[in-house]
Amino acid sequence: MTAGRLIVRGAGLSAAGLLVRLGARLLFLIVAGQLYGAALFGAYSLAVAAVELATAIAGLGMKRLIFQHLDERGGRPEIHVIADAASLSLLIGLLLAGALAAAVALAPASWISANTAQALVLLAPLIAAQALIDLMLAATRWRHVLRYEVAGRSLVEPWTAIAGAGSAWYLGFEQTGLLFGYALGTLAALIFALAGVGRTFGPARLRGWRPRRRRALAMLSAAAANTAADGLSGFLVRLDLYLVGILMGEHSAGVYGMARQLAQPIRQVRQSFDGLLTPLVAKTLRAGGPETAVRAVASAARLILSIQLPMVIGMIAVGWPLLRWLGPEFAAGWVAAIFLAGAETVQGAFGVGELLFVYRRPRLGLGIIAATVLVALAAVLLFTSIWGLAGAGAAVLLTYALRAWTRRAALRRSLGVGVPVRHSLWPALAGAAGAGIAWLTLPNGWAASWAAGLAIYAALLLVWRRLTGEHLSLDHFAAH
């Protein structure tokens, strides 16, 4: 089986899981919106964003670097390499959990609302658990086993969280039910991920493993730049939510958080490819060098873009009635949701190029992210102060577009490789045309709007393929 077909098969399996996860996400949003309301959902969103940021740091970039460590392990058992990484993530995660809880305890009451402070303290211990989940599920993907990640992230974690949050409400835990659901989902996913690693690699050989300071220091040194990049990237992804909470309050953060939730499935389209895309980019770099890897990444970016764009069109058509159905107060986030959908599309498709920085130029990747954080900070502050929630979404879209362009220029300058802009131009233009038609036909109802937008998009893609002879398949990847 070719590498491209392997990725597509893996993406297909992940896409099936994504559909299940979308159902879970919708049900969770119903529970959060209709039972708990915007203010409590805002506190929950801010706390989860902080935990996810700390998780990105505690993970030490291992959900990508573990593939490289396993490939270069020499004669050591695979499970020993995983244990080395897990021990480091566990230690860093616990330290960050303590630091977060201490920061909340020491912060003046005027800085953090009571709901958000309580959520941060209760969820802090889950930082280490989330980092371990990422690592364990990534390790199983090294063996090209995707069922554990798909089931863990699409079935076990979200549906357990929904059951926990819904049950907590009816048991009288109206203030902390969402937090209880998140904790229950995390613990269930961790147990499942550990079981998956045990079945994939065999726990018997773990008996001979012992932590070694030299190996730990070597891993930390190798992960330093990528960990900093992950931390900054995680901060960048959540910066808009933090600033909305600071500038506009917990209630507005809840409305904006709901808009972010609606845009999440677009990001998950990219994540459905990551299961096999990430390890195969590493293999392609080793086998064919940067030039071949850039071509492979470009083919993946164009395919991912073409899948994401119909979802942006759908956000224009369906976003407002869906948000209003979740709760009338959430409808105010519709325009922000459209901008965020566009931002997730840009990052999801063209963010694939970040893998090349991870494996070849981690410090350069770190510099790009650091500069992007400064741009995002200025843009979100300015746009939010002028246009409110819609301004925050627009600032994110502008920031991600600038980041993608900077990344492309840096690859050409540092590695001497690049892909012409026209490679993804036609799908982007087709998507823009479909989005415009969907907007213009909104008075005819959401169903007609979405249908008209999709029809224009599909027709323009067909014309492009007929005129150019190009296709949307994955090329240039090396499987071995």
Side-chain angles (χ1 to χ4, degrees), residues 47-413:
V48 169
V51 168
E52 289 175 345
L53 173 58
T55 297
I57 299 171
L60 300 172
M62 289 300 170
K63 62 183 178 181
R64 293 186 298 270
L65 292 178
I66 191 63
F67 306 117
Q68 196 171 49
H69 289 307
L70 287 168
D71 286 337
E72 299 172 356
R73 71 189 184 281
R76 296 188 68 214
E78 297 153 345
I79 195 70
H80 286 199
V81 178
I82 298 169
D84 288 340
S87 62
L88 287 173
S89 289
L90 178 61
L91 175 61
I92 301 299
L94 292 175
L95 290 174
L96 288 173
L100 179 58
V104 172
L106 295 174
S110 59
W111 287 15
I112 308 175
S113 72
N115 287 332
T116 302
Q118 180 184 45
L120 286 168
V121 171
L122 292 177
L123 295 188
L126 300 178
I127 294 169
Q130 283 289 342
L132 288 176
I133 293 170
D134 284 342
L135 170 62
M136 297 302 165
L137 295 179
T140 61
R141 298 202 315 266
W142 183 76
R143 285 275 187 91
H144 297 172
V145 177
L146 292 181
R147 61 180 177 272
Y148 295 111
E149 173 142 23
V150 172
R153 290 300 194 187
S154 300
L155 286 171
V156 177
E157 185 175 19
W159 289 97
T160 304
I162 291 168
S167 300
W169 170 268
Y170 287 107
L171 290 173
F173 296 96
E174 299 176 0
Q175 297 294 314
T176 57
L178 287 173
L179 310 178
F180 177 78
Y182 183 85
L184 199 62
T186 297
L187 295 177
L190 177 59
I191 293 170
F192 184 79
L194 290 171
V197 168
R199 292 176 182 175
T200 303
F201 295 95
R205 302 186 73 181
L206 186 59
R207 295 171 186 169
W209 174 80
R210 295 291 184 275
R212 293 289 186 269
R213 185 172 63 177
R214 182 176 297 179
R215 285 200 303 266
L217 291 176
M219 263 191 173
L220 285 173
S221 177
N226 282 312
T227 301
D230 280 350
L232 281 174
S233 183
F235 180 65
L236 173 64
V237 167
R238 298 162 183 87
L239 176 61
D240 54 328
L241 179 61
Y242 297 147
L243 292 179
V244 167
I246 292 170
L247 296 175
M248 302 182 67
E250 209 169 63
H251 183 276
S252 293
V255 174
Y256 190 76
M258 191 66 76
R260 284 167 54 91
Q261 288 288 327
L262 288 192
Q264 283 286 331
I266 299 176
R267 180 186 304 179
Q268 290 168 346
V269 168
R270 155 68 191 281
Q271 292 172 344
S272 70
F273 283 82
D274 278 349
L276 289 175
L277 182 62
T278 303
L280 288 176
V281 167
K283 287 180 169 63
T284 303
L285 267 171
R286 189 173 66 253
E291 185 172 351
T292 301
V294 165
R295 292 177 181 174
V297 164
S299 71
R302 185 164 66 181
L303 176 59
I304 293 169
L305 179 67
S306 68
I307 297 171
Q308 290 176 317
L309 285 169
M311 302 176 73
V312 178
I313 296 171
M315 183 66 74
I316 294 172
V318 184
W320 189 83
L322 180 56
L323 283 166
R324 185 169 177 80
W325 177 62
L326 293 171
E329 57 192 340
F330 295 111
W334 174 50
V335 176
I338 294 174
F339 283 126
L340 290 170
E344 292 292 355
T345 301
V346 171
Q347 176 60 16
F350 301 110
V352 181
E354 288 182 345
L355 294 173
L356 300 177
F357 292 108
V358 168
Y359 296 121
R360 287 299 175 91
R361 295 289 188 276
R363 292 183 179 179
L364 179 57
L366 175 60
I368 292 173
I369 296 173
T372 307
V373 168
L374 295 177
V375 172
L377 180 61
V380 175
L381 282 173
L382 177 62
F383 287 18
T384 304
S385 64
I386 299 174
W387 296 297
L389 298 181
V396 175
L397 175 57
L398 173 63
T399 300
Y400 282 5
L402 290 173
R403 182 182 182 184
W405 187 263
T406 303
R407 188 189 300 118
R408 178 181 177 275
L411 279 175
R412 184 177 295 276
R413 183 169 182 177

